[in-house]
Amino acid sequence: MAPALLLIPAALASFILAFGTGVEFVRFTSLRPLLGGVPDSGPDARQGWLAALQDRSILAPLAWDLGLLLLFVGQHSLMATETVKAWLCRYFGVLQRSLYVTCTALALQLVMRYWEPVPRGPVLWEARAEPWATWVPLLCFVLHIISWLLIFSILLVFDYAELMGLKQVYYHVLGLGEPLALKSPRALRLFSHLRHPVCVELLTVLWVVPTLGTDRLLLALLLTLYLGMAHGLDQHDLRYLRAQLQRKLHLLSRPQNGEAE
């Protein structure tokens, strides 16, 4: 096992990479489609769906984007299997979660940096005529802000430090054991049912855009299928989530000692 002085910087580096990737993901999924970061070829230059299926200039970037998404989904799923996690724990010990977070961030960076837009491809919907051209982007912008605020608030319920691998290293350095061993049975049950705690909010970000072009449709459709397959909450999990959120909000709203005096 690596010394504590090496474990802490490794976990912090993984956290910084994941945080930066999350900021970049907000830009990729929200700011770029809402603020016009992709050049628009205009409706006259776009092809219909049947013609697009025969156009290599459209199919080639779509195939490339599909490969990037499959790389991300494959990495994210493979490293989450019990077999791979056991192998990583054997060789990397307490850094297993940090390594998973690092690989996920790198895979997502590849998707975002090498994504190929398809401006000449057909669109599923598009807000061009007034007043829709003004109000639809504004509505999408508001919904995206609400969705990202909900995502950040939901992370208060889930242990963000543990999700990023920091808590595992912290507990190991202090000799406290594995954080999951201290979780209640209800929390462990929830974690086994839900790998992605912000499913609905991410779906809103993916689908609610003023123009749903071909490459955005591919991104939204594939990630929707992936999120749906990993989602299995029931009423017991929802009640536990509600109770945890209320407890966290109560702790955040409780006055400090200096304010109480």
Side-chain angles (χ1 to χ4, degrees), residues 159 161-172 177 179 183:
D159 197 333
E162 185 175 338
L163 290 174
M164 295 293 103
L166 287 174
K167 194 171 186 178
Q168 288 86 333
V169 173
Y170 176 74
Y171 273 44
H172 175 77
K183 297 289 184 183

Side-chain angles (χ1 to χ4, degrees), residues 20-261:
T21 302
V23 174
E24 181 69 12
F25 187 68
V26 173
R27 186 201 66 82
F28 179 76
T29 55
S30 293
L31 298 183
R32 190 176 72 163
L34 293 179
L35 301 181
V38 178
D40 187 2
S41 60
D44 296 334
R46 295 196 182 101
Q47 299 190 31
W49 291 96
L50 293 178
L53 295 177
Q54 305 173 14
D55 192 337
R56 293 178 60 88
S57 66
I58 294 178
L59 294 179
L62 283 179
W64 174 261
D65 293 340
L66 178 61
L68 291 174
L69 287 173
L70 291 178
L71 174 66
F72 169 73
V73 169
Q75 172 274 323
H76 205 53
S77 301
L78 182 64
M79 293 190 68
T81 61
E82 293 300 327
T83 301
V84 175
K85 286 196 292 186
W87 184 86
L88 292 176
C89 285
R90 178 181 176 184
Y91 290 99
F92 295 95
V94 73
L95 290 177
Q96 177 267 327
R97 183 66 188 181
S98 295
L99 183 62
Y100 173 78
V101 170
T102 298
C103 292
T104 299
L106 291 176
L108 191 55
Q109 285 283 356
L110 286 175
V111 173
M112 295 185 294
R113 291 183 181 274
Y114 295 101
W115 186 263
E116 289 284 348
V118 189
R120 293 183 59 248
V123 297
L124 193 60
W125 65 70
E126 183 177 24
R128 279 194 169 271
E130 293 292 349
W132 310 113
T134 299
W135 289 105
V136 170
L138 180 60
L139 177 62
C140 293
F141 183 75
V142 172
L143 289 176
H144 277 232
I145 290 179
I146 294 174
S147 296
W148 286 116
L149 289 176
L150 286 174
I151 288 173
F152 297 142
S153 64
I154 289 174
L155 290 176
L156 293 175
V157 177
F158 289 80
D159 197 333
Y160 188 69
E162 185 175 338
L163 290 174
M164 295 293 103
L166 287 174
K167 194 171 186 178
Q168 288 86 333
V169 173
Y170 176 74
Y171 273 44
H172 175 77
V173 171
L174 295 181
L176 299 177
E178 173 63 35
L180 278 179
L182 305 178
K183 297 289 184 183
S184 67
R186 296 175 67 190
L188 294 176
R189 183 178 187 274
L190 173 66
F191 294 158
S192 67
H193 288 175
L194 182 63
R195 283 177 51 197
H196 301 280
V198 290
C199 182
V200 176
E201 293 77 13
L202 279 179
L203 293 182
T204 301
V205 169
L206 290 171
W207 287 98
V208 180
V209 288
T211 301
L212 188 66
T214 313
D215 60 300
R216 180 69 177 207
L217 177 61
L218 175 66
L219 176 70
L221 187 60
L222 191 60
L223 291 185
T224 297
L225 292 174
Y226 179 62
L227 289 171
M229 288 187 295
H231 188 77
L233 289 182
D234 56 21
Q235 292 297 321
H236 297 286
D237 297 322
L238 294 176
R239 284 197 293 268
Y240 174 76
L241 272 175
R242 189 181 302 113
Q244 289 299 305
L245 179 59
Q246 292 173 351
R247 185 176 69 87
K248 298 275 185 174
L249 292 176
H250 174 72
L251 291 176
L252 290 175
S253 61
R254 189 171 58 184
Q256 300 298 323
N257 292 334
E259 296 176 355
E261 295 174 359

